[in-house]
């Protein structure tokens, strides 16, 4: 059994190449249309931050529930969480583009009418740049502190064994998911929903939190599938694949529930400030993205993974996850782009920026993964993972 992942020179240069494509795409975006550049920077940084947050939530959840079946590959979640500090740096850079991204900073310059300006002014106690930046810093301090702490305890457990660090991890995981629920909800409000400051939804934060968990788990499974094919995690069996499929299947239902609940409540209430959001997204080219989003994030995983026969097929599971990778992008694209550039376009800037961020995420992940034993051999529940079977 492989005890260490090797971040080879070829893999390193591959991530450098992907990042270079991203830098060129971002530079081209800013050179041709500054707002397009800022919008894509926000979209892709939030995309990969949400994957890291989802992975950290999955890790904490395994500690809290004392789930042994997943202990053998918890290094994947830990390594994905390592992207959070890099996301923090990029979010700080995005502060310089706030006036272009967030119309509430200069509502008069963005063509709001008198009523809308009054609504925005009414929210100025919360929507102001200094408080926005303070909250941004606070969110990342909380996320980085807890993910680094769980990583530290995990590595200490490798050295000393026993239950001391496992119990500490379980305790702080409980604190983390509570603070994460609050901070990630507020971050979703701040960074995404306030792009259109006169619009609001009470379910918005829950929908984005579930989406982060959903797609974070999907990427965990994809990485394990790839590494298993390369000879790592040889202990994984059909019972593991079955549980992976169940996770994705159930989370797709949860995602659809919140997606439909938000749409239904806004349609039923028929409040102008709320309905304008969906009216815009159900006209022109946005309408295609609207239904593709639902198709990729719910219909595909639900229909394909429903039969147990398909759920255990690794090729089918990989295909579903690739649909979800695109699905998460369409979801965030729908939330961000109509309120920023207002133009539906998928070109070199969009694709290249995504590739660059994927390269950065892969680099951070593989570098972190290579710095510790791949299998946490002194984890108290590891044998449960090795001997996992269907019940």
């Amino acid at each position: 059994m492989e005890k260490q992942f090797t971040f080879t020179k070829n893999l390193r240069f591959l991530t450098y190449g992907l990042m270079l494509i991203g830098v060129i795409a971002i530079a081209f975006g800013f050179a041709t249309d500054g707002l397009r550049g800022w919008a894509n920077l926000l979209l892709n940084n939030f995309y990969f931050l949400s994957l890291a947050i989802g992975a950290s939530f999955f890790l904490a959840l395994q500690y809290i529930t004392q789930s042994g079946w997943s202990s053998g590959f918890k290094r994947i979640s830990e390594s994905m969480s390592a992207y959070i500090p890099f996301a923090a740096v990029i979010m700080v850079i995005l502060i310089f583009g706030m006036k272009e991204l967030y119309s509430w900073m200069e509502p008069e310059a963005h063509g709001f009418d008198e009523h809308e300006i009054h609504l925005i002014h009414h929210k100025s106690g919360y929507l102001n740049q200094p408080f926005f930046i303070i909250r941004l810093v606070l969110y990342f301090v909380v996320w980085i502190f807890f993910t680094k702490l769980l990583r530290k305890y995990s590595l200490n457990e490798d050295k000393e064994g026993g239950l001391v660090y496992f119990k500490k991890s379980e305790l702080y995981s409980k604190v983390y998911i509570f603070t994460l629920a609050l901070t990630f909800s507020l971050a979703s409000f701040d960074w995404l929903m306030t792009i259109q400051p006169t619009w609001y939804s009470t379910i918005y934060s829950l929908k984005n939190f579930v989406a982060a968990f959903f797609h974070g788990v999907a990427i965990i499974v994809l990485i394990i599938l790839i590494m298993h094919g390369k000879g790592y995690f040889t202990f994984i069996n059909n019972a593991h694949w079955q549980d992976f499929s169940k996770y994705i299947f159930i989370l797709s239902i949860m995602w659809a529930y919140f997606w439909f609940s938000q749409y239904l409540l806004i349609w039923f209430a028929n409040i102008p400030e709320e309905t304008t959001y969906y009216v815009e997204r159900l006209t022109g080219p946005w309408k295609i993205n609207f239904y593709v989003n639902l198709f990729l994030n719910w219909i595909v995983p639900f229909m394909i993974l429903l039969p147990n026969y398909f759920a255990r097929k690794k090729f089918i599971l990989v295909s579903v996850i690739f649909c979800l990778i695109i699905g998460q992008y369409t979801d965030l694209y729908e939330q961000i782009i109509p309120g920023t550039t207002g133009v539906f376009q998928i070109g070199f800037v969009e694709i290249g920026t995504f590739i660059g961020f994927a390269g950065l995420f892969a680099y951070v992940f593989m570098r972190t993964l290579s710095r510790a034993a791949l299998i946490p051999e002194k984890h108290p529940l590891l044998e449960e993972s090795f001997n996992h079977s269907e019940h």
Side-chain angles (χ1 to χ4, degrees):
M1 183 182 295
E2 294 284 349
K3 294 185 178 181
Q4 192 84 24
F5 170 76
T6 304
F7 190 14
T8 64
K9 187 179 291 186
N10 288 340
L11 287 174
R12 198 178 297 270
F13 281 120
L14 175 61
T15 59
Y16 292 158
L18 296 176
M19 285 188 276
L20 179 61
I21 293 172
V23 170
I24 294 171
I26 293 168
F28 181 75
F30 278 106
T32 55
D33 183 352
L35 180 55
R36 186 182 181 188
W38 286 119
N40 277 279
L41 205 61
L42 172 63
L43 191 159
N44 286 280
N45 193 47
F46 191 87
Y47 181 107
F48 288 96
L49 170 63
S50 67
L51 298 182
I53 290 293
S56 70
F57 181 73
F58 177 81
L59 176 66
L61 200 61
Q62 305 312 297
Y63 276 119
I64 294 168
T65 57
Q66 296 187 1
S67 298
W69 74 276
S70 59
S71 59
F73 45 83
K74 72 169 186 170
R75 291 284 185 255
I76 304 299
S77 304
E78 292 174 2
S79 300
M80 286 175 62
S81 303
Y83 178 76
I84 295 175
F86 291 82
V89 173
I90 297 171
M91 281 304 301
V92 170
I93 295 172
L94 279 161
I95 291 173
F96 297 98
M98 282 184 65
K99 287 186 178 180
E100 294 191 66
L101 288 170
Y102 301 105
S103 55
W104 50 264
M105 290 194 66
E106 296 179 345
E108 295 85 358
H110 285 83
F112 287 107
D113 60 34
E114 187 176 338
H115 173 66
E116 290 172 325
I117 291 174
H118 175 72
L119 289 174
I120 295 171
H121 178 73
H122 187 67
K123 301 176 182 181
S124 61
Y126 185 83
L127 288 183
N128 61 79
Q129 190 175 31
F131 193 29
F132 181 96
I133 295 172
I134 290 171
R135 293 195 304 272
L136 185 151
V137 172
L138 178 63
Y139 302 152
F140 279 106
V141 166
V142 170
W143 300 339
I144 292 170
F145 172 78
F146 280 106
T147 52
K148 292 287 187 183
L149 189 66
L150 291 177
R151 172 70 169 180
K152 177 185 175 182
Y153 289 158
S154 179
L155 297 179
N156 287 344
E157 184 182 77
D158 277 1
K159 296 176 183 177
E160 301 180 21
L163 293 174
V164 174
Y165 289 107
F166 178 82
K167 289 181 178 179
K168 285 185 177 181
S169 296
E170 183 182 351
L171 173 62
Y172 284 103
S173 290
K174 293 174 183 177
V175 180
Y176 177 55
I177 64 168
F178 174 78
T179 56
L180 181 64
L182 177 62
T183 53
F184 191 74
S185 296
L186 292 174
S188 297
F189 287 145
D190 289 356
W191 304 339
L192 302 186
M193 195 169 75
T194 65
I195 287 173
Q196 294 179 263
T198 60
W199 177 77
Y200 52 87
S201 167
T202 55
I203 301 179
Y204 191 84
S205 60
L206 290 171
K207 175 181 169 292
N208 278 287
F209 189 87
V210 170
F213 185 32
F214 179 23
H215 296 91
V217 168
I219 297 302
I220 290 172
V221 176
L222 178 63
I223 292 169
I224 294 170
L225 279 161
I226 293 171
M227 293 186 68
H228 182 71
K230 297 295 182 181
Y232 298 96
F233 301 121
T234 53
F235 62 88
I236 291 180
N237 55 43
N238 284 335
H240 290 96
W241 301 131
Q242 180 78 0
D243 283 347
F244 289 145
S245 297
K246 286 178 182 177
Y247 244 105
I248 294 174
F249 176 77
I250 293 169
L251 287 173
S252 74
I253 297 174
M254 290 181 63
W255 182 92
Y257 172 80
F258 285 107
W259 182 94
F260 183 72
S261 295
Q262 178 174 276
Y263 179 78
L264 181 65
L265 288 172
I266 289 176
W267 175 84
F268 185 77
N270 199 28
I271 300 173
E273 286 84 0
E274 295 182 0
T275 55
T276 52
Y277 180 87
Y278 280 107
V279 169
E280 182 180 9
R281 286 156 178 78
L282 284 169
T283 55
W286 302 108
K287 188 175 183 178
I288 299 172
N289 189 86
F290 183 84
Y291 288 111
V292 168
N293 182 26
L294 180 63
F295 178 79
L296 293 176
N297 286 305
W298 177 55
I299 295 176
V300 169
F302 181 81
M303 297 302 294
I304 293 179
L305 298 180
L306 184 59
N308 281 334
Y309 176 79
F310 289 138
R312 296 183 182 184
K313 299 295 182 181
K314 287 182 279 187
F315 173 76
I316 291 176
L317 193 53
V318 169
S319 300
V320 168
I321 294 170
F322 273 109
C323 287
L324 293 176
I325 291 172
I326 302 172
Q328 173 71 336
Y329 189 89
T330 62
D331 194 8
L332 292 173
Y333 193 87
E334 179 183 294
Q335 295 179 57
I336 295 171
I337 303 303
T340 51
T341 67
V343 180
F344 186 90
Q345 52 186 341
I346 301 292
F348 173 66
V349 174
E350 287 72 26
I351 297 172
T353 304
F354 180 83
I355 290 172
F357 270 87
L360 174 61
F361 186 84
Y363 172 81
V364 173
F365 167 77
M366 289 191 284
R367 187 187 67 170
T368 306
L369 190 64
S370 66
R371 292 182 171 180
L374 185 61
I375 306 297
E377 294 186 344
K378 293 184 180 181
H379 192 286
L381 303 178
L382 187 61
E383 285 302 314
E384 187 177 331
S385 186
F386 286 166
N387 300 311
H388 185 51
S389 61
E390 298 176 57
H391 299 291

